[in-house]
Amino acid sequence: MAEAKGNAAFSSGDFTTAITHFTEAITLAPTNHVLFSNRSAAHASLHQYAEALSDAKETIKLKPYWPKGYSLLGAAYLGLNQFELAVTAYKKGLDIDPTNEALRSGLVDAEASVSRSSQEATETCKISDSTMAEEAKAKGNAAFSSGDFTTAITHFTEAITLAPTNHVLFSNRSAAHASLHQYAEALSDAKETIKLKPYWPKGYSRLGAAYLGLNQFELAVTAYKKGLDIDPTNEALKAGLVDAEESVARSRAAPNPFGDAFQGPEMWTKLTSDPSTRGFLQQPDFVNMMQEIQKNPSSLNLYLKDQRVMQSLGVLLNVKFRPPPQGGDEAEVPESDMAETSRSEPEVEKQREPEPEPEPEVTEEKEKKERKEKAKKEKELGNAAYKKKEFETAIQHYSTAIEIDDEDISYLTNRAAVYLEMGKYDECIEDCEKAVERGRELRSDYKMVARALTRKGTALTKMAKCSKDYEPAIEAFQKALTEHRNPDTLKRLNEAERAKKEWEQKEYFDPKLGDKEREKGNEFFKEQKYPDAIKHYTEAIKRNPEDPKAYSNRAACYTKLGAMPEGLKDANKCIELDPTFSKGYSRKAAVQFFLKEYDDAMETYQEGLKHDPSNQELLDGVRRCVQQINKANRGDLTPEELKERQAKGMQDPEIQNILTDPVMRQVLTDLQENPSAAQKHMQNPMVMNKIQKLISAGIVQMK
């Protein structure tokens, strides 16, 4: 069953699923050479040549005199650019079957590749470098995902050394630099990204982010606009443009006297290098305050009561602020300074209003904190109700939380989850879209945005009623994965793509058109245009996957082209669909006969005769098999044929079991040394049957 599923997936072009089913089948039948052969072909179709090579070697190990194994071995070596080894593999196959067209064609390709390889040494080096670059890139991506941006930069730099024209590597390193607030380096990499790939929107997103970090807001606006000219629907560019334009508007407002101290990447360098502020950078709330002050210098007043901010301001201005006095409301002022001030500006001193203290801001911050706490409690109540499946109550709590605090998109995504459970998919999608939009505005955690997009995709799949309905769901999952690569999202994406394909097959189903395509295939078959015939038979199968005739006819084409595994696969499918259809058995047996598996072919012909006892094609097949088996029994085989027959027999698990059976080993010894005892053994039908199998395999010869 697993093999049949793998064959079906392979025929439909779903090689990944085919590999899964073949692997399952191999677990159940680890000595079946055809399974390894099929899996090798599937790996090669996905350009996974190392895996294809391993399976091809196992195929040959199990069936050394099977030409198809060497064809697959050669193809794997070709894919790995090991051309000399490919030539050797094809030649070994042709030693077994000199007329095999697939092996001949492969040998021509391999020899042509060998002749080109000396002239393409540089290109081969590039391919090697490209592989190493991909490995370094993968390590960089893993480090980036875990938040280790310094290590990510190291790996991306290594990859760039190996593949200096790969724009994605510069883009990724730019993002890593930006995450470390190294905006000058991020800008340089962003520019190189655009230079290598001028029409790639993400390059302009990186460029805009770098300019924003450097407080070059006008240039950031220009960068984001250029990106949107290329991709007007790009959400990241849209969100970046909003931030840049807001920053431009703020920069034109009245400057804060201390605002410049917090601008540019130098701020982070100074704070890191000073022992008194270095520890603050390990505190997320402090980092958030610094980022907010960088974006909006006028917000400095909100945080002046925080001693860490005051300490940082002193470091940035190279000024030492004394800590606040412990004993009174006002700090002591040296007498000489007081006198100086009084003499120079006596009237002004008397009339000057006291500096306004930032009490309103502090109160506002306190109120904000209280709101957040209150909203958080509502969320917790909503979570508790959700677990109890009290969905209406949960929605009320989440809605209250949203009203209290609209800066936490988790309330929206949680309410969307409730709607999803209730089957209110439109409401779920609406909440998810709001969460994504608000998350972009607030620059929320990518994981939260990804969660909203995943939930939206899930709701869309629940509503899907045709293949096209899955397209927006797939798009939502893909966007979620660009935000955060989550295994659950990836699983949902694969399920949606698989469901879409199933729907497409259902929508494509049309037996009448399938019959027409089969007839077209028949015409090409008569003209001996087998590849064209296969094309139409395949289309017929797509239109009607339950038509055994289409599989039978395509099996005949594959057999004519020497593609025996494919022919055997279609013949098996034909028998599976209609066990009474004699053509399926004749197709399968023809492949087995061609592969010199005469006993298997005999069994297949006899199985077909059970359903159609008078079928002449099946009867002729039995006769041919008997002739070949008797030829072996009489010892009429040439030494080469006998050697091949024995080698093939030794690969048969049944033959191996017979030879390792202690009773049969004694029987074989008696046949050589004790004829009278051997005669008694021969009266046992089970023993006689096993002896006959050994004779057919050429292991035992009767004279």
Side-chain angles (χ1 to χ4, degrees):
M1 182 63 73
E3 180 184 2
K5 289 180 179 178
N7 293 338
F10 188 97
S11 299
S12 67
D14 188 357
F15 305 117
T16 303
T17 303
I19 289 170
T20 301
H21 290 306
F22 289 141
T23 301
E24 180 185 348
I26 286 169
T27 304
L28 299 171
T31 59
N32 187 330
H33 63 286
V34 175
L35 297 175
F36 284 97
S37 165
N38 290 359
R39 191 170 71 175
S40 177
H43 277 305
S45 299
L46 290 172
H47 308 295
Q48 298 170 352
Y49 297 114
E51 294 83 352
L53 178 64
S54 176
D55 279 350
K57 286 181 177 179
E58 188 64 25
T59 301
I60 293 170
K61 181 180 176 182
L62 293 170
K63 199 90 169 176
Y65 293 95
W66 193 41
K68 184 67 177 178
Y70 294 94
S71 179
L72 292 166
L73 185 68
Y77 277 133
L78 267 181
L80 292 168
N81 296 320
Q82 299 181 25
F83 306 127
E84 295 284 358
L85 292 174
V87 168
T88 303
Y90 286 124
K91 284 183 177 179
K92 284 185 179 178
L94 286 169
D95 288 342
I96 298 168
D97 184 2
T99 63
N100 190 295
E101 290 299 325
L103 288 166
R104 286 181 176 180
S105 175
L107 180 60
V108 170
D109 289 342
E111 289 177 337
S113 298
V114 168
S115 65
R116 288 195 303 267
S117 62
S118 59
Q119 303 170 6
E120 297 177 347
T122 304
E123 188 63 28
T124 303
C125 181
K126 286 182 181 178
I127 292 171
S128 177
D129 286 350
S130 176
T131 303
M132 293 172 65
E134 283 299 318
E135 291 177 0
K137 174 188 170 187
K139 291 178 181 177
N141 290 342
F144 188 96
S145 298
S146 66
D148 188 356
F149 305 118
T150 303
T151 302
I153 289 171
T154 302
H155 289 305
F156 290 140
T157 301
E158 178 188 348
I160 287 169
T161 304
L162 297 167
T165 59
N166 188 328
H167 63 285
V168 176
L169 298 175
F170 284 97
S171 169
N172 290 3
R173 191 170 70 176
S174 176
H177 277 306
S179 298
L180 290 173
H181 309 294
Q182 298 170 353
Y183 297 113
E185 293 84 350
L187 179 64
S188 175
D189 280 349
K191 287 181 176 179
E192 187 63 27
T193 302
I194 293 169
K195 180 181 176 183
L196 292 170
K197 195 88 170 180
Y199 295 99
W200 194 43
K202 186 171 279 190
Y204 294 94
S205 181
R206 300 292 190 217
L207 186 67
Y211 277 134
L212 266 181
L214 292 168
N215 296 317
Q216 299 179 26
F217 306 128
E218 295 282 359
L219 292 175
V221 169
T222 303
Y224 286 124
K225 284 184 176 179
K226 283 184 179 179
L228 287 168
D229 287 341
I230 298 168
D231 183 3
T233 63
N234 191 293
E235 294 297 330
L237 287 166
K238 286 181 179 179
L241 180 59
V242 170
D243 288 344
E245 288 177 338
E246 288 177 354
S247 298
V248 168
R250 286 196 299 266
S251 67
R252 290 173 179 169
N256 185 292
F258 300 117
D260 291 341
F262 293 89
Q263 300 307 305
E266 296 83 5
M267 179 194 80
W268 300 102
T269 305
K270 288 181 179 179
L271 295 179
T272 303
S273 59
D274 192 286
S276 66
T277 56
R278 186 181 302 138
F280 298 160
L281 297 178
Q282 305 301 318
Q283 302 170 15
D285 63 325
F286 175 77
V287 174
N288 290 335
M289 282 192 287
M290 292 295 101
Q291 290 174 339
E292 178 62 28
I293 293 169
Q294 273 200 321
K295 285 196 285 185
N296 183 11
S298 63
S299 66
L300 176 60
N301 288 338
L302 293 173
Y303 305 111
L304 284 176
K305 284 289 184 181
D306 192 309
Q307 287 302 311
R308 295 173 298 174
V309 176
M310 290 297 294
Q311 181 70 26
S312 301
L313 181 60
V315 170
L316 296 172
L317 295 174
N318 293 320
V319 173
K320 274 197 173 183
F321 288 119
R322 286 185 301 176
Q326 302 298 320
D329 293 330
E330 294 184 3
E332 239 183 318
V333 180
E335 194 173 323
S336 60
D337 292 347
M338 182 71 76
E340 173 102 7
T341 306
S342 300
R343 285 195 299 272
S344 58
E345 295 180 304
E347 294 297 321
V348 174
E349 184 65 33
K350 290 177 184 177
Q351 297 175 12
R352 181 178 298 163
E353 293 291 331
E355 287 291 329
E357 294 186 11
E359 288 300 330
E361 285 79 7
V362 174
T363 304
E364 183 181 340
E365 184 180 355
K366 184 178 179 182
E367 289 177 353
K368 181 178 179 181
K369 189 174 182 180
E370 289 175 352
R371 286 201 309 272
K372 286 188 174 295
E373 287 296 327
K374 188 176 179 182
K376 188 176 179 182
K377 288 180 180 177
E378 289 291 339
K379 176 184 175 181
E380 290 170 355
L381 291 171
N383 292 345
Y386 178 81
K387 290 176 182 177
K388 295 177 183 177
K389 296 192 179 298
E390 297 173 358
F391 298 135
E392 292 293 347
T393 304
I395 286 174
Q396 290 176 8
H397 287 300
Y398 290 137
S399 299
T400 303
I402 293 167
E403 291 173 5
I404 296 170
D405 179 13
D406 67 344
E407 293 184 354
D408 188 338
I409 65 172
S410 68
Y411 308 144
L412 281 166
T413 57
N414 283 15
R415 189 170 71 178
V418 181
Y419 283 133
L420 185 64
E421 286 288 332
M422 296 175 71
K424 296 183 177 181
Y425 303 125
D426 289 326
E427 291 87 343
C428 173
I429 292 168
E430 183 180 353
D431 270 1
C432 291
E433 289 175 344
K434 286 179 182 177
V436 172
E437 183 180 356
R438 188 67 177 137
R440 304 272 192 219
E441 293 172 1
L442 298 169
R443 292 202 169 192
S444 300
D445 187 350
Y446 293 136
K447 293 181 182 179
M448 293 298 299
V449 176
R451 185 181 300 171
L453 287 165
T454 300
R455 206 149 279 167
K456 175 184 175 181
T458 304
L460 287 167
T461 59
K462 298 286 186 182
M463 298 171 68
K465 295 180 180 178
C466 64
S467 61
K468 285 191 175 181
D469 288 347
Y470 282 94
E471 291 176 2
I474 290 171
E475 182 183 1
F477 290 135
Q478 289 171 339
K479 285 183 177 180
L481 288 170
T482 62
E483 298 288 341
H484 174 62
R485 195 160 185 83
N486 180 282
D488 178 64
T489 304
L490 185 61
K491 179 184 176 184
R492 291 175 188 272
L493 172 62
N494 292 335
E495 289 173 351
E497 289 176 338
R498 187 159 51 249
K500 181 175 182 286
K501 187 175 289 186
E502 290 173 358
W503 269 102
E504 286 173 343
Q505 290 174 349
K506 290 178 183 177
E507 292 163 355
Y508 205 68
F509 182 80
D510 190 331
K512 290 183 179 179
L513 286 177
D515 291 342
K516 289 181 180 179
E517 289 294 332
R518 178 159 46 79
E519 290 302 323
K520 289 179 183 178
N522 293 344
E523 294 298 323
F524 281 111
F525 186 90
K526 291 174 184 176
E527 297 172 10
Q528 298 184 357
K529 296 180 180 179
Y530 303 120
D532 292 327
I534 287 173
K535 178 182 176 182
H536 287 289
Y537 290 141
T538 301
E539 181 65 20
I541 289 168
K542 288 180 181 178
R543 289 291 184 182
N544 184 7
E546 303 300 318
D547 181 10
K549 293 179 181 178
Y551 283 102
S552 168
N553 293 0
R554 192 170 70 173
C557 289
Y558 281 133
T559 305
K560 293 288 185 181
L561 292 171
M564 298 304 166
E566 291 81 1
L568 185 63
K569 177 173 62 179
D570 275 359
N572 281 326
K573 184 65 177 178
C574 175
I575 294 170
E576 178 188 331
L577 291 172
D578 187 356
T580 65
F581 186 43
S582 59
K583 276 290 183 185
Y585 297 98
S586 63
R587 301 293 190 213
K588 180 179 180 179
V591 172
Q592 293 168 327
F593 190 91
F594 181 86
L595 296 174
K596 301 180 182 179
E597 298 171 356
Y598 303 121
D599 289 314
D600 292 340
M602 170 77 85
E603 289 180 11
T604 302
Y605 281 127
Q606 290 174 340
E607 187 66 26
L609 286 169
K610 290 179 183 178
H611 303 286
D612 189 359
S614 61
N615 186 287
Q616 193 60 45
E617 187 176 4
L618 295 173
L619 292 169
D620 290 342
V622 170
R623 179 178 51 77
R624 290 196 303 274
C625 290
V626 170
Q627 289 175 349
Q628 291 297 325
I629 293 171
N630 288 339
K631 184 179 177 182
N633 293 343
R634 291 194 304 268
D636 292 343
L637 299 174
T638 65
E640 290 77 13
E641 289 176 329
L642 179 60
K643 185 178 179 181
E644 180 183 349
R645 174 73 64 91
Q646 289 173 339
K648 291 176 70 174
M650 290 301 292
Q651 298 300 322
D652 187 336
E654 187 176 3
I655 297 295
Q656 293 174 4
N657 290 334
I658 292 173
L659 293 175
T660 55
D661 184 349
V663 174
M664 287 305 300
R665 290 174 68 177
Q666 182 61 49
V667 170
L668 294 174
T669 302
D670 288 344
L671 283 172
Q672 290 181 317
E673 301 174 357
N674 190 348
S676 60
Q679 288 295 327
K680 293 181 180 179
H681 290 313
M682 291 299 185
Q683 295 173 7
N684 186 327
M686 290 181 63
V687 171
M688 190 61 197
N689 184 45
K690 291 180 180 179
I691 292 292
Q692 186 59 48
K693 284 187 179 295
L694 293 176
I695 293 172
S696 299
I699 306 298
V700 172
Q701 298 181 57
M702 305 297 289
K703 296 182 180 179

